[in-house]
Amino acid sequence: MESSEPCTIRELEDGTHAVLFVVVQSAEAAATRGGQPFLKLELSDRTGRLRARRWDCTSDEVAGARPGTVVKVGGPYSVHAKYGPQLIVERIRAAREEEYDLATLLDGPPRSAEQMEADLRALLDTVQDDHLRALLDALLADGSPVWDRFRRAPAAKHYHQAYRHGLLEHCLTVAQGVSAMAATFPGIDRDVAVAGALLHDIGKLEAYTEDPLAIDLTDAGRLQGEIPLGYYRVRRAIEDIPGFPPDRAQAVLHVILAHHGALEHGSPVLPATREATLVHMIDNLGGRLGSFDRLEKSLPDGAVWSGFDRALGGGAWFADRAAA
């Protein structure tokens, strides 16, 4: 392997020969027009993600580049005018545990899980409706069958909060935003809106895998989708609560079904209540702002613009970096 010191994805410079310890996020075996095998890779560490190619790969390299595997790679890095940043992998092998620190490979939220859990418990205490509180306790109380998984789960595969504790971070921030905005606009049932915000993405517990090194959709996530999975989980919990008012059940379930805001984005219905509209808007805002966090982490020193980002539909500018 190369003798140069390993760096992070964020530290890569155009035209240099790089050595990195990274996680394989995806690996696709393909062939050139001439029939030569190669690997299309997506690699990651805590600072970002990187497309890579391994030409003339061996069958052992294909078998060893499984998603979730930590590998050591080396090769020239360049920023192509058309195709963007890319690493041409000349060497790849499985990394030994003593060679890397897992904390440098896994992204995570800026706040600790303990602090976010305390904030969530404080928010739950403000829900006054007894039936909604019983529903939230059934799903999110410490020691519930769901809570440990909810606390660990990611919020996405790539675009925002795609890391351990990401779902807790995302649902909490959306619910806090909804709680604040509910006091600003008249006619909003705050308890319904907060409960819907806390539960809107609970289907992701079944839709995504638990492996923090390689987040991917499960079979259920691909075949059913996160919204139906969340709807049925919450509906089953409601049916187990004696005397749960049908109108309250319908209000919360509508928030879950409508939170993507558009049929083409996966919602089976459009937001038709104030509460569902508010949750959708704050959820969309949280996801877009989460994309800024993701992009800024991957920017090299001195850069103030990101490249094109599909989630934002363009590049992101970071004014604080420009001022510095």
Side-chain angles (χ1 to χ4, degrees):
M1 204 72 177
E2 296 82 350
S3 59
S4 56
E5 286 296 317
C7 66
T8 66
I9 291 175
R10 182 175 179 174
E11 294 170 329
L12 289 170
E13 296 182 1
D14 187 18
T16 60
H17 193 282
V19 177
L20 306 99
F21 287 98
V22 286
V23 181
V24 177
Q25 290 296 329
S26 66
E28 179 184 349
T32 65
R33 292 180 180 179
Q36 294 299 312
F38 73 96
L39 270 174
K40 295 193 291 184
L41 300 161
E42 184 178 18
L43 310 172
S44 72
D45 63 16
R46 188 175 176 87
T47 68
R49 295 196 177 210
L50 175 67
R51 291 188 306 112
R53 296 289 185 271
R54 169 60 173 148
W55 305 110
D56 299 322
C57 58
T58 67
S59 58
D60 287 343
E61 288 173 338
V62 173
R66 299 184 309 276
T69 303
V70 180
V71 294
K72 186 177 184 181
V73 298
Y77 170 79
S78 61
V79 181
H80 193 278
K82 180 178 180 181
Y83 301 109
Q86 182 172 275
L87 180 74
I88 302 301
V89 177
E90 295 178 341
R91 298 286 188 275
I92 179 171
R93 66 164 174 81
R96 297 184 293 272
E97 288 188 9
E98 67 272 14
E99 291 184 303
Y100 64 89
D101 179 0
L102 195 59
T104 67
L105 300 179
L106 294 179
D107 198 0
R111 292 182 289 169
S112 70
E114 292 74 18
Q115 181 59 59
M116 290 190 292
E117 181 176 354
D119 291 344
L120 182 139
R121 302 284 168 228
L123 184 60
L124 287 177
D125 286 341
T126 68
V127 176
Q128 301 299 307
D129 184 287
D130 290 340
H131 291 95
L132 292 176
R133 183 57 190 271
L135 172 63
L136 292 169
D137 285 344
L139 293 170
L140 301 181
D142 189 10
S144 76
V146 172
W147 171 246
D148 283 346
R149 173 77 176 109
F150 187 93
R151 189 179 187 273
R152 296 192 309 270
K157 180 179 177 179
H158 177 60
Y159 287 117
H160 67 88
Q161 283 113 345
Y163 42 67
R164 187 179 177 90
H165 309 306
L167 183 62
L168 170 60
E169 179 190 17
H170 175 63
C171 291
L172 174 61
T173 55
V174 171
Q176 288 173 325
V178 163
S179 177
M181 295 300 290
T184 302
F185 295 98
I188 294 173
D189 187 321
R190 178 192 175 277
D191 281 1
V192 167
V194 169
L198 287 171
L199 300 176
H200 77 280
D201 266 349
I202 200 166
K204 291 181 176 180
L205 298 184
E206 296 172 80
Y208 289 101
T209 60
E210 291 196 51
D211 185 354
L213 287 174
I215 300 166
D216 203 354
L217 285 167
T218 63
D219 291 342
R222 294 176 186 274
L223 294 171
Q224 300 179 57
E226 65 182 72
I227 288 181
L229 290 169
Y231 167 82
Y232 284 114
R233 182 185 286 275
V234 175
R235 180 172 175 173
R236 288 194 298 269
I238 287 173
E239 291 170 349
D240 288 338
I241 300 172
F244 201 103
D247 61 329
R248 307 300 269 171
Q250 187 160 258
V252 172
L253 291 171
H254 176 66
V255 171
I256 294 169
L257 290 172
H259 79 265
H260 281 184
L263 303 181
E264 60 268 29
H265 295 157
S267 277
V269 294
L270 300 179
T273 65
R274 291 182 175 92
E275 295 77 24
T277 300
L278 177 60
V279 172
H280 160 61
M281 292 296 185
I282 301 299
D283 176 47
N284 189 51
L285 176 64
R288 291 180 72 85
L289 291 177
S291 292
F292 281 89
D293 296 337
R294 167 177 52 81
L295 291 168
E296 186 171 19
K297 288 178 182 177
S298 65
L299 282 183
D301 292 340
V304 297
W305 278 97
S306 76
F308 176 86
D309 183 70
R310 191 166 67 177
L312 297 179
W317 183 57
F318 297 94
D320 290 346
R321 286 170 162 262

